[in-house]
Amino acid sequence: MNEKGSVIFDSRPALRSPYIVCGLNGWVNGGDVSVGGVNYFIRQFKGVKFAEMLTSRYHIYQIPGVDSLRPVFRMQDGLIVESHLPKNQFYYATNPASEHDLILFLGTEPSLNWEEYTDIVVSLARDFGASRLYAICGILDRTPYTREPMISCTCTDAKVKDEMEKYNVTFSNREGPATFNQMLLYACKQKGLEGVNFTVRVPFYPEFNVVIGYSPKSMKAVLVRLNHLMHLDMNFDELNNAIKEVEGKLDFVRQQNPQFNTYIEELEKDYVEMPYQEPLDISPNDAIRLAEEFLKKNKDQR
C-alpha cells in the first residue's frame, strides 16, 4: 500500500485505455441510479478495489442542527457491528469484449474542496490512460413509471456530443447551480479528457407520498447505453426482475387508489417517450450501401 497526495493505493493495475464510470452518493443519486449503477458494474465485472481517497479533506460530519451529515453506526449488544462513512473508492475490472478496461469510481459528493476532488479523480483517470469519463446520475421528477425514462446529456465537446446523438437523449439547456457531475466534466474539459454526463429522470409522486428509493428502470436506461458505448456484455436479468417487482407494487397502488390512477394517466398523456434503440455500428455510407444491396437483391429475386 502506498499513498500519493490524498489517494491511497492498494495496487496499480495495468489497464488498457480504460473508461472510467463515476457514481456519487448525494444530491444526484435519485433512485440509487448513481451509486447503484456503479455497484451493478462492480458486481457484473467482479471489480477489485485498488485505491481510495482520504475522506477528511472533503466531508463535513457536523453542522449545528444538521444530523444527516454524521456517519451512521449500528450497535448490537454493546458492540459496533456496522458503520457507514463516506466512501471514495476506485475499482478496476478487465473487459475481454473490447480494447478498453474499466475504472469504476464509487464516491460521496464532497462538502469541501470540489476543485481538488475533481482534479484527483480526473488526474487518476489520466494517469491510467483513460480515454473517456462517464458520470451517471438520477433526479426525481414527476414522470410516469409506465414509460421509458427520459435522459439528458452533457458533453465536454461537440465531437462527443455528435456521438451521443445516436443514443436517443436530450441535451441539457439550463443555467444555475452546478451539480457535482458537471464539475467533473468541467475538470475533464480543463485536462483534455473526453467526458459525458447522463442524467436520468426517476419517478416521484410527493402528492401521494410515493418516493421510489430504488428505480431499476431508470438505472437500466443509463446502463444499456453504457453497455453499447463501452462494448460490454452486460446481463440485465437482475434489473429486469426488479423492474417487474417495482411496477407490480405501483400497479397495485393504482388499483387501490383511483386518484393515483388518474394522476398517472394524466402524466402519460403529456409525456413524450424516447425509447432506446441500439445504434448500428456502421457509417452512414455503409448504411446506404447495405440498403442498396438489399433492394437490388430483392429486385433480382422477383
Side-chain angles (χ1 to χ4, degrees):
M1 179 180 295
N2 59 78
E3 187 173 332
K4 180 181 178 182
S6 296
V7 181
I8 299 173
F9 286 91
D10 299 326
S11 64
R12 292 180 181 270
L15 302 175
R16 302 166 304 141
S17 186
Y19 296 118
I20 177 169
V21 183
C22 301
L24 288 97
N25 194 15
W27 185 45
V28 290
N29 189 36
D32 197 36
V33 166
S34 192
V35 171
V38 171
N39 273 321
Y40 201 85
F41 279 115
I42 291 171
R43 291 196 302 275
Q44 285 260 317
F45 296 99
K46 298 179 172 58
V48 177
K49 185 171 82 73
F50 71 95
E52 184 167 4
M53 292 171 61
L54 300 174
T55 61
S56 57
R57 288 190 55 76
Y58 309 107
H59 302 289
I60 295 174
Y61 289 165
Q62 180 173 323
I63 295 176
V66 179
D67 294 332
S68 59
L69 298 175
R70 297 185 180 190
V72 176
F73 283 32
R74 184 167 71 88
M75 280 70 70
Q76 184 174 320
D77 294 329
L79 300 175
I80 296 175
V81 295
E82 195 173 329
S83 60
H84 297 277
L85 286 83
K87 293 181 179 179
N88 302 292
Q89 300 173 333
F90 296 90
Y91 294 75
Y92 75 90
T94 56
N95 177 23
S98 87
E99 299 176 350
H100 301 272
D101 291 323
L102 300 175
I103 295 175
L104 306 167
F105 178 59
L106 195 58
T108 303
E109 186 174 299
S111 310
L112 301 167
N113 302 317
W114 277 31
E115 294 93 340
E116 180 181 314
Y117 188 107
T118 56
D119 181 76
I120 288 173
V121 174
V122 175
S123 293
L124 183 143
R126 291 295 304 271
D127 288 347
F128 280 88
S131 54
R132 180 176 291 175
L133 179 146
Y134 291 103
I136 59 178
C137 66
I139 59 171
L140 304 180
D141 195 9
R142 290 175 174 84
T143 57
Y145 72 90
T146 54
R147 301 291 187 261
E148 279 297 309
M150 188 175 294
I151 295 179
S152 59
C153 180
T154 305
C155 308
T156 48
D157 58 69
K159 174 177 169 288
V160 177
K161 181 188 172 186
D162 288 344
E163 183 181 348
M164 295 305 115
E165 294 270 10
K166 300 184 295 184
Y167 290 89
N168 214 8
V169 297
T170 63
F171 292 97
S172 303
N173 287 293
R174 65 178 290 269
E175 180 179 352
T179 67
F180 191 75
N181 285 9
Q182 290 165 346
M183 286 292 293
L184 273 173
L185 257 62
Y186 177 76
C188 287
K189 191 171 182 179
Q190 297 296 105
K191 290 183 174 291
L193 177 65
E194 291 183 351
V196 180
N197 177 58
F198 289 119
T199 301
V200 63
R201 269 53 181 176
V202 174
F204 172 62
Y205 314 122
E207 298 89 342
F208 298 91
N209 294 319
V210 175
V211 179
I212 302 174
Y214 171 60
S215 179
K217 193 169 192 173
S218 298
M219 188 183 300
K220 184 183 176 185
V222 175
L223 297 192
V224 292
R225 288 165 169 82
L226 291 176
N227 185 53
H228 188 269
L229 278 162
M230 300 192 295
H231 309 288
L232 305 175
D233 186 19
M234 299 186 74
N235 183 309
F236 293 107
D237 289 348
E238 179 185 331
L239 286 178
N240 291 334
N241 291 333
I243 290 168
K244 290 179 182 178
E245 181 179 350
V246 170
E247 294 191 352
K249 291 178 179 178
L250 291 171
D251 287 344
F252 180 76
V253 175
R254 290 182 71 175
Q255 293 169 10
Q256 301 299 312
N257 188 330
Q259 288 181 319
F260 182 61
N261 181 60
T262 301
Y263 179 79
I264 296 298
E265 289 177 346
E266 289 300 315
L267 291 178
E268 290 172 338
K269 289 178 184 177
D270 298 330
Y271 191 73
V272 179
E273 193 166 17
M274 298 180 66
Y276 172 69
Q277 293 181 330
E278 192 166 285
L280 296 173
D281 287 325
I282 58 175
S283 68
N285 289 336
D286 287 338
I288 293 172
R289 177 180 57 79
L290 290 172
E292 290 174 343
E293 290 176 358
F294 175 78
L295 293 172
K296 183 177 184 299
K297 183 179 179 180
N298 281 358
K299 183 178 180 181
D300 294 342
Q301 290 176 348
R302 290 176 182 174

